Amino acid sequence: YPFWAQETAPETPREATGRIVCANCHLAAKPAEVEIPQAVLPDTVFEAVVKIPYDHSQQQVLGDGSKGGLNVGAVLMLPDGFQIAPEDRIPEEMKEKVNGAYFQTYKEGQDNWIIVGPLPGDQYEEIVFPVLSPDPKNDPNIHYGKYSVHLGANRGRGQVYPTGQLSNNNVFKSTVAGAITNITEAEAGGYTVTINDGETDYSVEIPVGPELIVTEGQEVAVGEALTNDPNVGGFGQKDTEVVLQSPDRIKWLLVFIAGIMLAQILLVLKKKQIEKVQEAGLYF
Ligand code: HEM
């Protein structure tokens, strides 16, 4: 969950290597996308659309071993000064697309790092973030320019709890090489698999959820899977960029282009004039 990222990495959700911390516990990789305008003007509300695609016909194992749908969540790291737009600045049409999603800042005083989720994946495969760009006129620390944006987005349950314990959304493996001497099924679900390496019995506890793929008497190697892989989710990250564009620069660019066009037209007119003079057979 995004709040476990906040708890385990309170300073920043992005490690020095560029890895977003969700990946520490959500071990499978699946794609994630963010669509953001190439350039935005200051003090403007725009959409950042996060896409977390997956096969909605699939179900995952839940904590109690039953099957269920997937939830989604994300962390979006916008450039300094950007933030979720206040309610009264968001146009009605954009509000509909946001569809009630609730955004929180990753850490106090850092309004540009935003987390969202868990949200039901069937409704929020696309999450629309209503973002307000900053105005360099109002804040001397904000400058026009090109900045990076980082996204981490996840669907489905993680593999590791903050305590380090594995969730039941994992493949469970043999810890030794040997023969499976006994498999007992617990009343509440789950199994205890006993493996004998020739001398000692070792037992592997398998929580309710993953399906057993071994039988008694079977020889297994170290690290060999005893269960299927129930995980259908995964985490993905994406880096992109956005330009905070000065309206004055665009104005001057238009003036410049108009100037060039005018100069071109004048040159053509001048050429026509010279041609006329030449036609008349006048040479100076
Ligand atoms: C569950 C997102 C960080 C461990 C979930 C779920 C979401 C999510 C959406 C619900 C999945 C579902 O019910 O289908 C994220 C995001 C993170 C993040 C976006 C980063 C910002 C972490 C971290 C850990 C973690 C750092 C480990 C310390 C788990 C586990 C579950 C889970 C174990 C399953 C919980 C259960 O149902 O028993 N996460 N997560 N997540 N997350 Fe994360």
Side-chain angles (χ1 to χ4, degrees):
Y1 296 113
F3 55 80
W4 280 340
Q6 285 173 301
E7 266 172 37
T8 53
E11 276 312 307
T12 166
R14 189 168 182 267
E15 292 173 356
T17 55
R19 190 160 93 136
I20 305 279
V21 295
C22 319
N24 291 335
C25 307
H26 291 267
L27 305 182
K30 284 261 165 87
E33 290 293 331
V34 53
E35 276 173 15
I36 196 165
Q38 186 265 336
V40 293
L41 294 175
D43 195 31
T44 308
V45 175
F46 65 95
E47 289 174 14
V49 183
V50 168
K51 296 184 176 172
I52 315 172
Y54 67 93
D55 177 358
H56 289 254
S57 67
Q58 283 185 319
Q59 292 200 311
Q60 66 175 347
V61 292
L62 305 180
D64 63 3
S66 64
K67 292 273 176 103
L70 280 71
N71 292 305
V72 294
V75 55
L76 184 63
M77 299 176 77
L78 294 164
D80 282 344
F82 286 68
Q83 56 177 295
I84 289 293
E87 206 51 34
D88 58 341
R89 293 282 310 265
I90 309 175
E92 272 316 309
E93 184 199 342
M94 202 185 286
K95 267 188 198 155
E96 264 171 43
K97 291 193 209 163
V98 173
N99 192 10
Y102 179 63
F103 303 97
Q104 275 177 293
T105 56
Y106 189 82
K107 91 179 199 197
E108 228 184 271
Q110 196 91 47
D111 291 344
N112 55 324
W113 295 350
I114 302 149
I115 52 174
V116 62
L119 292 168
D122 285 338
Q123 288 163 50
Y124 295 94
E125 186 174 14
E126 267 189 38
I127 306 174
V128 176
F129 290 63
V131 183
L132 174 65
S133 59
D135 192 343
K137 271 196 218 113
N138 303 338
D139 185 345
N141 296 322
I142 304 294
H143 305 282
Y144 290 113
K146 193 184 228 182
Y147 298 100
S148 359
V149 171
H150 311 288
L151 166 77
N154 174 64
R155 81 288 272 148
R157 297 177 55 228
Q159 282 64 53
V160 191
Y161 285 102
T163 53
Q165 204 189 351
L166 294 182
S167 76
N168 65 342
N169 195 18
N170 271 297
V171 193
F172 286 79
K173 295 178 179 162
S174 165
T175 47
V176 289
I180 297 178
T181 52
N182 188 35
I183 297 177
T184 47
E185 192 172 351
E187 224 169 86
Y191 305 90
T192 305
V193 178
T194 311
I195 303 164
N196 190 292
D197 67 351
E199 289 173 8
T200 327
D201 277 349
Y202 295 89
S203 61
V204 181
E205 298 294 333
I206 296 170
V208 59
E211 286 161 27
L212 216 56
I213 56 165
V214 290
T215 49
E216 276 178 23
Q218 191 175 330
E219 292 281 337
V220 288
V222 186
E224 194 174 323
L226 303 177
T227 69
N228 70 343
D229 184 358
N231 183 30
V232 294
F235 170 78
Q237 54 182 85
K238 189 87 192 182
D239 298 321
T240 182
E241 283 170 340
V242 65
V243 174
L244 183 59
Q245 185 61 270
S246 154
D248 286 343
R249 281 189 207 175
I250 294 183
K251 228 179 283 161
W252 283 114
L253 178 68
L254 291 179
V255 169
F256 175 71
I257 291 172
I260 299 259
M261 279 166 72
L262 187 66
Q264 293 288 323
I265 292 168
L266 289 178
L267 281 171
V268 171
L269 290 179
K270 191 74 203 168
K271 189 167 170 251
K272 289 281 167 214
Q273 193 185 35
I274 287 174
E275 277 170 7
K276 267 189 194 148
V277 170
Q278 282 171 342
E279 254 169 45
L282 294 174
Y283 294 96
F284 298 100

